Amino acid sequence: MVNSLLKPDYIFESSWEVCNKVGGIYTVLSTRAKTLQEAHQDKVIFIGPGLWKREDGNYTKEESPYFKEDQSLFANWQWEAKENSLKVRVGRWMVPGEPIAILVDFVPYFEKKNEIYSWLWEHYQVDSLHAYGDYDEASMFSYAAALVVESFYRFYVEVKGQKAGDVKMIYHANEWMCGLGALYINNKLPQIGTVFTTHATSIGRSIAGNMKPLYDYLFAYNGDQMAGELNMQSKHSIEKQTAHHVDCFTTVSDITAKECVELLDKPVDVVLPNGFDDSFVPSGVQFTRKRKAARKRLLDVANALLGEQLGDDTLIVSTSGRYEFRNKGIDVFVEAMNRLLREKDLKKKVVAFIEVPGWVGEPRKDLQERLNSKKQFDTPLEVPQVTHWLHNMSHDNVLGMLKYYDMHNRKDEHVKVIFLPCYLDGKDGILNMTYYDIVLGNDLCVYPSYYEPWGYTPLEAVAFKVPCITTDLAGFGLWANSVFGRYGEIQDGVKVIHRTDYNYSEVADIIKDTVAEFSSFTKKQVDEARRHAGELSKRALWSEFIKFYEQAYDIALRKAEERKKN
């Protein structure tokens, strides 16, 4: 069967997160790149934004640390693009596989914005009237990305004289942010097969984030009506129309596929689960050394902040991800840690880190001084729950909940909660280690998500052999259950909790009980759980999941071939 799939000569894939580390989609694309590159050597071309917006609202052309320019790549076309006033930089994305990336300057198209939106309305009835926030810049980038593909296609097919029918090309757009480009290609270059992936429906995320019950009422929600109610008309409109008009519509999990049917009125053609590339994971002696270094650093920070001497037998627990307080289950994590404070069966001290980027101000000078002094301290610092000062200390959700529960990391308490409100990029001023270097220092990771289309954080945890807790409202949790053939338990490496719109308290209790249970595990039991976690992650490597992408390309190319005939 595999041999009969149509294979593309070129794959163009656009995303706001190409060479631009913002969120989970960066991880999806950057870890998948190596597997795609091995299968389609240098015929996979990622398109990303060539400019970033600074805090002052102006655009900057600072170098992306993840991009290395190479003017020899497609040199003739680069010259042609310049002639056509396309401002592009071609090079390589500095991730495993080093695929080709094209960064495009989208700012020149802002002056044509109204004209572009009018065209979009006339051809696809996309409502851009209610646009606000990042809608304009995402749309202008998406438009510029489509112009890159159009220019490339015309050059290699028309200028170089290849027959249009001989070149099989895919344009893969990620998220509503790249929808405009997919519709442009659909209209102007019907010989190119189009694929669209929604990693989370904009309206589903918004319903969940606005504290409305999503799952029990999913069948009753009308996506268009909810978009009006939640002021999401433009993002929902571009997402829905793109889903309906591309050749192959995809999402990342079965749970989000249900959302697509109900909220976008369009079933997906293929589910593309998110895989992982384990070249990020150290092995053997290096793994042991890095795990030790991570644990030491986490405990050093905790001890300096708390004025304690927590030893290596302390249970290090963490949650991480985007700062979506309810959607990512940060609220239920704090709740569970609060209940753990009074848990009689807890056999070890626990230090729980919340590694979620907040509105961070600066690293704490008093904490830096303590860490640099290399001394031990027996008094806590003022506000011993946070490593960096925030701009909104009095209005922060995590700090507010800790205060509400009177969780002040007192000396006699066996559970300490520490908020690390910054990106772990190795330069945060306190930990100064990257997320992948830190994650393997954990004993247990907890991701009790309410809204999580896939869930990279639990997949990353198990790849680093850290057992984790997640829920069946996360795509990864559902996938893990399908591998086990039942609900995962912590001994399996992944504990999957049944979560609904209304069982918050029960979920908090199960997390509390699972951490307490894990604290009494023997070394043999811990090693078993860690081994099982690592084994499960091997089932989610990109080499296992790339076949679903090949199916999506095949569907899109077949539709494009049909159009060529007609």
Side-chain angles (χ1 to χ4, degrees):
M1 171 63 197
V2 173
N3 295 336
S4 64
L5 292 178
L6 290 183
K7 294 216 177 332
D9 297 310
Y10 288 100
I11 301 163
F12 280 91
E13 182 159 8
S14 71
S15 166
W16 185 256
E17 299 193 32
V18 168
C19 300
N20 184 23
K21 201 169 193 172
V22 182
I25 296 170
Y26 181 91
T27 311
V28 179
L29 302 172
S30 63
T31 59
R32 172 160 45 80
K34 181 163 159 268
T35 308
L36 271 183
Q37 181 70 320
E38 283 162 5
H40 307 270
Q41 192 63 43
D42 276 357
K43 302 295 186 191
V44 179
I45 299 160
F46 289 94
I47 307 176
L51 297 166
W52 290 266
K53 208 171 195 179
R54 286 196 306 241
E55 281 178 18
D56 60 12
N58 293 318
Y59 288 94
T60 176
K61 197 177 178 179
E62 288 161 16
E63 282 298 311
S64 163
Y66 313 106
F67 176 75
K68 190 174 178 186
E69 191 162 8
D70 181 351
Q71 293 180 348
S72 69
L73 284 168
F74 307 129
N76 294 342
W77 170 73
Q78 284 200 51
W79 183 84
E80 174 84 6
K82 210 164 271 167
E83 288 290 292
N84 293 326
S85 306
L86 261 181
K87 294 185 182 172
V88 295
R89 296 167 71 214
V90 184
R92 295 205 178 263
W93 191 355
M94 302 315 286
V95 292
E98 297 192 4
I100 294 173
I102 299 174
L103 303 187
V104 60
D105 178 359
F106 54 89
V107 173
Y109 305 104
F110 276 103
E111 59 191 43
K112 290 175 64 180
K113 184 179 77 174
N114 294 342
E115 193 184 312
I116 293 166
Y117 288 162
S118 298
W119 178 89
L120 202 54
W121 171 255
E122 283 163 26
H123 289 85
Y124 296 101
Q125 283 67 61
V126 171
D127 165 15
S128 303
L129 269 181
H130 296 90
Y132 64 91
D134 53 357
Y135 184 87
D136 285 345
E137 58 194 359
S139 298
M140 293 310 104
F141 158 63
S142 184
Y143 179 73
L147 295 184
V148 167
V149 176
E150 181 179 39
S151 165
F152 189 95
Y153 183 87
R154 301 243 185 262
F155 182 76
Y156 278 97
V157 172
E158 292 169 11
V159 178
K160 289 216 156 178
Q162 292 186 44
K163 283 192 194 142
D166 293 345
V167 180
K168 294 187 182 70
M169 208 181 266
I170 286 289
Y171 182 69
H172 185 170
N174 287 282
E175 290 284 80
W176 67 266
M177 304 169 94
C178 292
L180 195 160
L183 294 177
Y184 181 92
I185 298 285
N186 176 268
N187 185 275
K188 304 278 188 190
L189 293 163
Q191 56 275 56
I192 294 179
T194 49
V195 179
F196 174 53
T197 301
T198 180
H199 294 257
T201 67
S202 57
I203 198 65
R205 189 192 289 279
S206 189
I207 290 168
N210 278 284
M211 308 299 282
K212 294 177 183 295
L214 177 62
Y215 302 98
D216 283 1
Y217 295 99
L218 190 55
F219 71 95
Y221 282 123
N222 175 303
D224 299 348
Q225 181 191 335
M226 291 310 294
E229 193 178 309
L230 297 170
N231 199 16
M232 293 286 289
Q233 296 99 318
S234 294
K235 290 178 184 179
H236 172 68
S237 183
I238 186 78
E239 184 174 42
K240 182 174 177 178
Q241 295 310 322
T242 308
H244 280 263
H245 287 94
V246 290
D247 296 318
C248 182
F249 175 43
T250 70
T251 192
V252 296
S253 66
D254 293 338
I255 199 159
T256 316
K258 288 179 187 158
E259 267 179 65
C260 293
V261 172
E262 298 296 343
L263 300 174
L264 301 176
D265 304 324
K266 176 77 170 73
V268 299
D269 297 299
V270 191
V271 169
L272 305 176
N274 289 333
F276 194 68
D277 168 26
D278 61 359
S279 61
F280 291 89
V281 182
S283 56
V285 178
Q286 196 192 15
F287 183 95
T288 309
R289 186 173 54 76
K290 284 197 152 195
R291 176 163 160 79
K292 256 188 185 149
R295 291 184 69 76
K296 182 178 184 312
R297 189 62 187 166
L298 287 164
L299 291 170
D300 284 351
V301 168
N303 286 334
L305 187 63
L306 304 168
E308 301 236 1
Q309 275 81 52
L310 296 167
D312 195 47
D313 59 342
T314 306
L315 204 63
I316 301 178
V317 179
S318 79
T319 192
S320 54
R322 255 205 299 251
Y323 202 160
E324 293 177 18
F325 194 60
R326 180 191 188 216
N327 284 356
K328 299 292 184 195
I330 302 165
D331 53 354
V332 84
F333 178 77
V334 176
E335 180 76 48
M337 294 306 109
N338 180 47
R339 295 181 185 188
L340 197 60
L341 278 166
R342 290 171 292 285
E343 176 55 52
K344 303 272 190 295
D345 293 332
L346 188 63
K347 298 288 188 280
K348 291 181 174 177
K349 289 185 174 179
V350 171
V351 60
F353 289 94
I354 299 172
E355 297 158 4
V356 173
W359 190 14
V360 70
E362 58 179 9
R364 294 180 58 160
K365 298 273 189 291
D366 53 355
L367 181 52
Q368 285 176 327
E369 282 164 14
R370 278 195 172 187
L371 287 165
N372 292 337
S373 78
K374 302 281 192 277
K375 291 181 193 158
Q376 289 190 339
F377 296 86
D378 55 11
T379 54
L381 288 174
E382 186 191 351
V383 199
Q385 303 97 320
V386 66
T387 57
H388 294 64
W389 297 125
L390 295 164
H391 289 299
N392 57 335
M393 293 289 286
S394 56
H395 293 95
D396 178 80
N397 281 332
V398 169
L399 295 180
M401 192 165 177
L402 293 174
K403 187 178 176 185
Y404 177 79
Y405 279 135
D406 194 28
M407 295 169 75
H408 287 93
N409 291 342
R410 295 177 183 87
K411 267 278 194 293
D412 57 343
E413 294 173 338
H414 281 320
V415 180
K416 309 290 199 292
V417 179
I418 297 173
F419 186 23
L420 257 167
C422 55
Y423 278 105
L424 296 179
D425 57 4
K427 305 188 289 276
D428 61 86
I430 299 294
L431 269 181
N432 296 327
M433 291 173 82
T434 65
Y435 180 70
Y436 283 167
D437 282 335
I438 279 295
V439 73
L440 45 65
N442 288 290
D443 293 299
L444 201 56
C445 288
V446 185
Y447 310 105
S449 301
Y450 173 74
Y451 184 81
E452 187 75 80
W454 174 247
Y456 247 113
T457 41
L459 175 49
E460 288 165 338
V462 295
F464 287 95
K465 300 187 178 62
V466 180
C468 72
I469 301 170
T470 186
T471 74
D472 60 359
L473 291 183
F476 174 79
L478 278 181
W479 173 80
N481 281 349
S482 74
V483 173
F484 298 138
R486 55 178 166 74
Y487 271 76
E489 293 297 338
I490 200 64
Q491 296 87 336
D492 302 315
V494 178
K495 164 88 175 171
V496 185
I497 302 173
H498 176 54
R499 187 160 187 198
T500 69
D501 288 321
Y502 301 111
N503 69 342
Y504 169 98
S505 186
E506 188 186 325
V507 173
D509 266 341
I510 296 170
I511 295 167
K512 167 192 69 101
D513 293 343
T514 307
V515 176
E517 179 192 357
F518 194 81
S519 75
S520 66
F521 273 17
T522 61
K523 182 180 183 306
K524 189 182 174 194
Q525 285 175 304
V526 170
D527 289 345
E528 278 290 278
R530 289 176 62 80
R531 185 172 63 77
H532 289 144
E535 283 168 1
L536 180 68
S537 75
K538 298 279 189 257
R539 305 280 294 269
L541 289 174
W542 277 119
S543 52
E544 299 286 326
F545 287 164
I546 207 70
K547 61 188 178 213
F548 301 111
Y549 282 79
E550 306 289 0
Q551 281 172 24
Y553 300 153
D554 176 68
I555 291 168
L557 287 173
R558 286 187 190 281
K559 290 190 180 167
E561 295 293 302
E562 269 312 298
R563 285 195 296 272
K564 283 179 193 171
K565 284 181 201 159
N566 298 333

